[in-house]
Amino acid sequence: MGNKNRSNFGSRVGIILASAGSAVGLGNIWRFPFEAGNHGGATFIIVYIICILLLGLPVMIAEFIIGRSALANTARAFQKLAPRTAWKWVGRIAVLTGCLILGYYAVVAGWTLEYTMQAVLNNFDGKQSEHFIQSFNTFSTNSWRPIIWLFVFLLGTHFIIVKGVEKGIERASKILMPALFILLVALVICSVSLPGSEKGVEFLLKPNLSKVNGNLILAAMGQAFFSLSLGMGCLCTYASYFGAKTNLTQTALSVGVIDTFVAILAGLMIFPAAFAVGIQPDAGPSLIFITLPNVFQQAFGSYPIIAYISSLLFYVLLALAALTSTISLHEVVTAYLHEEFNFSRGKAAKVVTFVCLTIGLFSSLSLGALKNITLGGLNLFEGLDFLTAKIMLPLVGMFTAIFVGWYLDKKISWSQLTNNNSIKAPLFKVVLFLLKFVAPLGIALIFIHELGLLNI
Ligand code: TRP
């Protein structure tokens, strides 16, 4: 594909919101709260923010540099910037990671559709927390319903990808992101005003640093990469659609701030409510699907119409936030097959949808009918999450940092961050230092510790 044919995002705000649209998704609202809940709340959040600053943002800038200087899909980008070397494998593994993530991410995205439908049918009305726990368990372990929704969700993603997405993603993100934000703030207010919610606020804001351990750090790092859409060439691909004038450092900072803010708001929405109704914060992947419908009922019990509208709005927005993320995951793999194997875009998209549907089918069944098939105590759904978020994303992130920090000509990075010397890049040295030393060493140390070779 010639560079002249590459589509571009139209405006500065559009670029930020489209990248933020990829970043903000189920990772913030579904995954962040249960990871934080599993690892002690406030302590996790502090380590998470450190990971965003020291590892996430520099790697995001590195992906932007690679994408915008190569103007190609991720695998091709590494190949272009480092011809005839093994670096192309980093790009290829990134693409594979995208496929695996989409395989289980789309399952959860499908759940949001089921909950949207339940909201439309007003099925939450007057129900108690036991009901929500039970109905989530019955639904997620069912062999058919989640798979039908998985299919519908992937088909929707497929449809948008085939149509071409730049204008679509950009336009949709401009409306959806602010709407999601306003709704989240409203829900936080409801959640903290429930009786008994103080314990949840305390859980989120009062750190206990003695709880920091290797597992927590690995989880926080994995979450940082997952939430910022790093480590699989997503933002690298998006950066290849940026304009020559886009300020890469500023864009990365804006995306990082928006993403972290949304995650913390999601925490503030869920934990006070979870504590108020007596649900354990470490309930795992089911957390938001159980607590939230409950919040709507408890908070607006006497105004059923408000309960109805807010639960409907919430699940619609959650589904749409998931959609902007599944589109970005799908786009990476589709662009790869399209450009590298000369598939038409339509055929490439079909292959991706089919493969992800198959992975999704098994990961959905692994929560119910196939739950006895496990590896190391994890079923397929948990295994894919573990393998991608805790291992593959940080590893690809580490190599991306090494690539820009050590391999790539500094002149390229400088001209990318200064737009050919036309803007200032006061953070250049800091970013390069983090990419050269802090990110690779930090990630390597965490892994070595996890493998049990180092005891700290
Ligand atoms: N960041 C998205 C979320 O938080 C998920 C996602 C989209 C993603 N693209 C990605 C995760 C690339 C890792 C890599 O929901």
Side-chain angles (χ1 to χ4, degrees):
M1 195 154 86
N3 292 347
K4 273 191 226 125
N5 296 336
R6 283 194 89 73
S7 8
N8 271 327
F9 288 123
S11 66
R12 203 177 96 94
V13 181
I15 283 172
I16 294 175
L17 290 183
S19 312
S22 161
V24 173
L26 297 172
N28 306 60
I29 301 171
W30 163 71
R31 197 174 188 284
F32 176 82
F34 84 75
E35 282 289 343
N38 277 337
H39 294 99
T43 320
F44 178 86
I45 295 181
I46 291 179
V47 179
Y48 174 75
I49 292 176
I50 296 175
C51 288
I52 294 273
L53 290 175
L54 296 185
L55 312 174
L57 289 179
V59 171
M60 188 188 299
I61 293 174
E63 283 204 20
F64 282 171
I65 291 175
I66 297 171
R68 200 177 57 174
S69 58
L71 300 176
N73 74 71
T74 305
R76 169 78 58 93
F78 276 95
Q79 212 165 348
K80 247 181 159 174
L81 297 174
R84 290 177 300 281
T85 62
W87 281 108
K88 59 176 176 287
W89 282 100
V90 177
R92 288 178 181 166
I93 294 174
V95 173
L96 172 70
T97 312
C99 225
L100 298 179
I101 294 181
L102 192 52
Y104 75 92
Y105 193 92
V107 173
V108 184
W111 296 350
T112 66
L113 294 182
E114 162 84 9
Y115 275 70
T116 304
M117 194 185 74
Q118 298 292 343
V120 171
L121 299 175
N122 202 16
N123 280 350
F124 301 141
D125 190 30
K127 304 273 168 46
Q128 301 292 323
S129 51
E130 305 77 57
H131 169 86
F132 294 116
I133 298 177
Q134 210 210 346
S135 64
F136 176 80
N137 290 338
T138 317
F139 164 69
S140 63
T141 54
N142 184 293
S143 294
W144 288 107
R145 283 178 83 97
I147 289 172
I148 293 171
W149 289 122
L150 161 76
F151 186 70
V152 173
F153 206 97
L154 276 175
L155 226 56
T157 309
H158 179 90
F159 183 73
I160 297 173
I161 291 284
V162 171
K163 287 265 165 206
V165 281
E166 288 82 51
K167 275 263 152 57
I169 298 179
E170 184 173 341
R171 229 177 261 161
S173 311
K174 273 187 184 165
I175 303 171
L176 296 177
M177 298 299 295
L180 180 70
F181 185 74
I182 293 169
L183 196 75
L184 274 178
V185 172
L187 290 174
V188 168
I189 296 172
C190 297
S191 175
V192 294
S193 57
L194 291 175
S197 62
E198 315 78 50
K199 281 225 178 78
V201 179
E202 194 183 308
F203 178 71
L204 267 190
L205 300 183
K206 212 165 154 197
N208 174 356
L209 293 182
S210 65
K211 288 222 175 104
V212 176
N213 59 31
N215 264 335
L216 182 147
I217 300 178
L218 192 69
M221 179 176 71
Q223 176 59 22
F225 279 94
F226 190 93
S227 190
L228 292 178
S229 297
L230 298 175
M232 57 138 294
C234 227
L235 294 182
C236 179
T237 308
Y238 272 28
S240 73
Y241 307 136
F242 286 180
K245 291 216 174 100
T246 308
N247 182 333
L248 298 184
T249 320
Q250 257 176 24
T251 307
L253 287 178
S254 313
V255 174
V257 168
I258 296 176
D259 191 71
T260 308
F261 206 57
V262 172
I264 291 178
L265 277 182
L268 275 174
M269 163 178 83
I270 287 155
F271 289 113
F275 276 85
V277 295
I279 288 168
Q280 290 307 311
D282 58 356
S286 61
L287 192 62
I288 74 159
F289 292 95
I290 293 172
T291 37
L292 273 182
N294 214 337
V295 179
F296 298 122
Q297 295 316 312
Q298 307 261 338
F300 308 115
S302 29
Y303 307 97
I305 182 75
I306 301 185
Y308 180 82
I309 293 174
S310 51
S311 44
L312 183 57
L313 263 181
F314 178 78
Y315 285 110
V316 169
L317 284 172
L318 186 61
L320 292 171
L323 186 63
T324 50
S325 298
T326 52
I327 288 170
S328 71
L329 286 159
H330 200 297
E331 173 69 23
V332 173
V333 194
T334 304
Y336 171 71
L337 293 180
H338 173 54
E339 294 182 10
E340 301 308 302
F341 294 94
N342 277 332
F343 286 8
S344 69
R345 237 188 111 79
K347 183 172 168 200
K350 266 188 211 145
V351 174
V352 179
T353 303
F354 179 77
V355 171
C356 293
L357 191 63
T358 313
I359 302 176
L361 197 120
F362 284 103
S363 50
S364 181
L365 289 176
S366 77
L367 296 173
L370 303 179
K371 77 169 181 289
N372 292 330
I373 305 178
T374 57
L375 189 72
L378 301 177
N379 60 36
L380 181 67
F381 181 95
E382 296 160 338
L384 283 176
D385 184 71
F386 179 84
L387 178 69
T388 54
K390 298 208 171 125
I391 298 178
M392 293 170 89
L393 296 179
L395 272 188
V396 173
M398 175 169 92
F399 282 112
T400 307
I402 295 176
F403 184 73
V404 174
W406 294 94
Y407 182 87
L408 195 66
D409 191 346
K410 247 197 223 150
K411 283 188 211 121
I412 298 184
S413 310
W414 173 256
S415 93
Q416 284 302 325
L417 290 196
T418 59
N419 292 346
N420 262 333
N421 280 323
S422 62
I423 52 170
K424 293 212 170 78
L427 292 179
F428 183 74
K429 285 213 167 115
V430 181
V431 170
L432 217 64
F433 176 79
L434 292 172
L435 286 174
K436 261 192 153 146
F437 301 106
V438 179
L441 273 178
I443 298 173
L445 272 181
I446 295 168
F447 272 117
I448 295 172
H449 178 252
E450 247 338 88
L451 295 176
L453 301 176
L454 180 77
N455 257 330
I456 32 174

